[in-house]
């Protein structure tokens, strides 16, 4: 770098040197001219005017040639100086470019150094994590081995339990078969009892069209037992319930004690809303009538555990028509044999 600066300093003095050289040439020409003129003057004195003028002209021509050569040399030197100045400018441009590249290289080097530090830090962290994962893997392997042993033991225990389950399943199937058989026998007994019971009731109430057997239900029209909007049994209604209780007692001796027979007493009304009286709705009226029938049957000796009272209001009609006859048919007390 210092050599380049010295070279640049050396190149920069060429213009002044050229000017000095040109001035020196001019001085020399001037001195020569003075010398020649002096010589001419002296020669004119000696050789004569014509001879002196001729010599003077030759000298002037010679001096003009020298001056032209000096000018050419000065021009050549100026061209060389300009070429050198261009070379210096190019070298300065290259130097600036090299400096920029050097700065870029240094910045890249610093960035690489920073990246290297980060990579080393990341590598150290990764190595620490790898060591931790290795420890965890060893622990997991040990835990897996323990679980495999436990699984093998559990599988053996499950195999033993499966054998027990197979045995118990066989017992359950046998018990289920026996239970179904017993249940079927009970159902048959219940159906036979219901058939006999309803058959006997059909005979007893054969002459009363408002008391009849419908399917698996024994139906009293409400007018047979109660007055309009009332839940108190009429005398005729009590007489009919006495007959019902008598038939039950006649057949009760044939009823197995463990047969879960229940006579469900259902109260039904028509769709006409209750107005006035001591009942606020058909729900209350139907429930009160069913309860009244159950209470009376208990008084007549029927066991209360064989009875149940349910109010159905107007929501289970047997005739959906909207006329007085349908209303009359829907107002009823049903007694249905069921089981617990």
């Amino acid at each position: 770098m210092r050599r380049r600066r010295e070279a640049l300093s050396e190149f920069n003095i060429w213009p002044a040197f050229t000017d000095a050289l040109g001035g020196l040439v001019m001085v020399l020409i001037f001195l020569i001219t003075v010398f020649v003129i002096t010589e001419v003057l002296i020669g004119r004195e000696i050789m004569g005017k014509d001879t002196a003028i001729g010599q003077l002209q030759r000298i002037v021509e010679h001096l003009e040639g020298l001056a032209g050569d000096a000018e050419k040399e000065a021009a050549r030197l100026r061209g060389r100086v300009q070429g050198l100045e261009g070379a210096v400018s190019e070298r300065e441009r290259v130097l600036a470019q090299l400096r920029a590249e050097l700065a870029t290289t240094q910045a890249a080097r610093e960035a690489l150094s920073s990246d290297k530090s980060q990579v080393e830090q990341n590598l150290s962290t990764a190595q620490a994590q790898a060591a931790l994962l290795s420890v965890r893997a060893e622990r997991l392997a040990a835990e897996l081995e323990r679980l495999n042993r436990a699984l093998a033991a559990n599988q053996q225990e499950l195999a033993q339990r499966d054998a027990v389950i197979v045995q118990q399943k066989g017992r359950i199937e046998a018990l289920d078969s026996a239970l179904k058989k017993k249940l079927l026998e009970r159902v048959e007994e219940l159906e036979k009892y219901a058939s006999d019971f309803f058959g006997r009731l059909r005979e007893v109430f054969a002459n009363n069209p408002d008391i009849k057997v419908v399917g698996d239900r024994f139906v009293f029209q409400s007018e047979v037992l109660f007055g309009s909007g009332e839940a108190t049994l009429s005398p005729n209604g009590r007489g009919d319930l006495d007959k019902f209780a008598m038939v039950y007692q006649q057949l009760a001796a044939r009823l197995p004690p463990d047969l879960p027979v229940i006579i469900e007493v259902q109260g039904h009304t028509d769709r006409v809303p209750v107005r006035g009286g001591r009942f606020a709705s058909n729900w209350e009226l139907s429930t009160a009538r069913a309860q009244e029938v159950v209470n009376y049957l208990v008084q007549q000796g029927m066991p209360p555990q064989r009875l149940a009272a349910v109010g159905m209001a107007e929501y289970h009609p047997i005739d959906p028509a909207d006329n007085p006859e349908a209303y009359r048919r829907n107002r009823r007390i049903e007694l249905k044999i069921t089981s617990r």
Side-chain angles (χ1 to χ4, degrees):
M1 183 65 69
R2 187 172 62 185
R3 291 178 180 177
R4 290 184 178 180
R5 290 178 180 175
E6 291 176 356
L8 290 175
S9 299
E10 182 180 355
F11 290 146
N12 290 333
I13 65 174
W14 274 104
F17 175 75
T18 304
D19 293 339
L21 182 61
L24 180 59
V25 170
M26 295 301 293
V27 170
L28 289 175
I29 293 172
F30 176 74
L31 292 176
I32 293 171
T33 303
V34 172
F35 175 74
V36 171
I37 292 172
T38 303
E39 186 178 355
V40 168
L41 291 175
I42 295 172
R44 189 175 56 182
E45 292 291 332
I46 299 172
M47 297 177 63
K49 182 178 180 180
D50 293 335
T51 303
I53 291 172
Q55 291 178 353
L56 182 60
Q57 287 179 346
R58 288 192 297 270
I59 291 171
V60 169
E61 291 175 357
H62 178 69
L63 291 175
E64 287 178 353
L66 292 176
D69 293 338
E71 287 292 335
K72 291 179 180 180
E73 183 65 20
R76 186 184 66 79
L77 292 175
R78 289 191 186 95
R80 184 176 179 184
V81 168
Q82 291 177 355
L84 292 174
E85 288 178 348
V88 170
S89 298
E90 179 64 21
R91 290 182 181 181
E92 288 180 349
R93 185 187 66 79
V94 173
L95 180 60
Q97 183 178 359
L98 291 175
R99 287 175 179 172
E101 292 177 355
L102 178 61
T104 302
T105 302
Q106 289 177 347
R109 181 178 180 182
E110 292 176 357
L112 289 175
S113 178
S114 177
D115 292 342
K116 180 181 178 182
S117 300
Q118 185 65 35
V119 169
E120 290 176 350
Q121 183 178 359
N122 293 339
L123 179 60
S124 177
T125 303
Q127 289 175 346
Q129 291 178 350
L132 181 61
L133 290 175
S134 177
V135 173
R136 290 182 179 177
E138 292 177 357
R139 292 178 180 175
L140 289 175
E143 182 66 16
L144 181 61
E145 179 65 23
R146 186 186 67 80
L147 291 175
N148 286 333
R149 290 195 298 269
L151 179 61
N154 289 335
Q155 288 177 345
Q156 183 177 1
E157 183 179 355
L158 287 175
Q160 295 174 354
R161 290 184 179 181
D162 288 341
V164 174
I165 289 173
V166 170
Q167 295 177 356
Q168 292 179 350
K169 184 178 180 181
R171 294 177 183 176
I172 291 173
E173 290 177 352
L175 291 174
D176 184 62
S177 177
L179 180 61
K180 288 180 179 179
K181 182 179 179 181
K182 186 68 174 178
L183 183 60
L184 182 60
E185 292 175 354
R186 290 298 179 89
V187 170
E188 291 176 351
E189 290 178 1
L190 182 61
E191 290 178 350
K192 185 176 185 304
Y193 174 78
S195 177
D196 293 343
F197 184 61
F198 286 133
R200 180 63 179 142
L201 289 174
R202 189 178 289 109
E203 293 175 358
V204 172
F205 295 100
N207 297 324
N208 192 337
D210 290 329
I211 303 174
K212 53 189 174 182
V213 176
V214 180
D216 61 345
R217 296 164 296 164
F218 187 71
V219 181
F220 288 93
Q221 295 303 137
S222 293
E223 288 77 9
V224 174
L225 302 177
F226 303 100
S228 178
E230 296 294 332
T232 301
L233 287 169
S234 65
N236 291 334
R238 292 179 181 179
D240 290 330
L241 290 178
D242 289 341
K243 296 177 183 179
F244 181 88
M246 180 187 66
V247 172
Y248 172 81
Q249 291 172 355
Q250 290 175 353
L251 297 176
R254 296 165 47 190
L255 186 65
D258 58 344
L259 189 65
V261 173
I262 293 178
I263 298 177
E264 184 178 86
V265 180
Q266 299 178 354
H268 297 266
T269 66
D270 56 26
R271 68 174 65 178
V272 178
V274 175
R275 293 185 178 88
R278 63 190 183 95
F279 300 107
S281 66
N282 284 329
W283 280 113
E284 294 183 10
L285 176 60
S286 62
T287 302
R289 286 178 172 178
Q291 186 64 52
E292 179 73 5
V293 171
V294 168
N295 290 338
Y296 186 79
L297 293 176
V298 171
Q299 293 174 8
Q300 302 310 307
M302 291 184 65
Q305 66 271 20
R306 298 286 189 181
L307 295 169
V310 181
M312 309 296 282
E314 71 269 23
Y315 298 106
H316 298 273
I318 58 177
D319 189 344
D322 189 9
N323 54 60
E325 179 60 24
Y327 293 167
R328 190 189 72 81
R329 294 185 61 198
N330 291 331
R331 293 190 299 269
R332 66 197 188 277
I333 296 293
E334 291 186 357
L335 293 94
K336 180 179 180 181
I337 295 179
T338 182
S339 61
R340 287 192 290 268

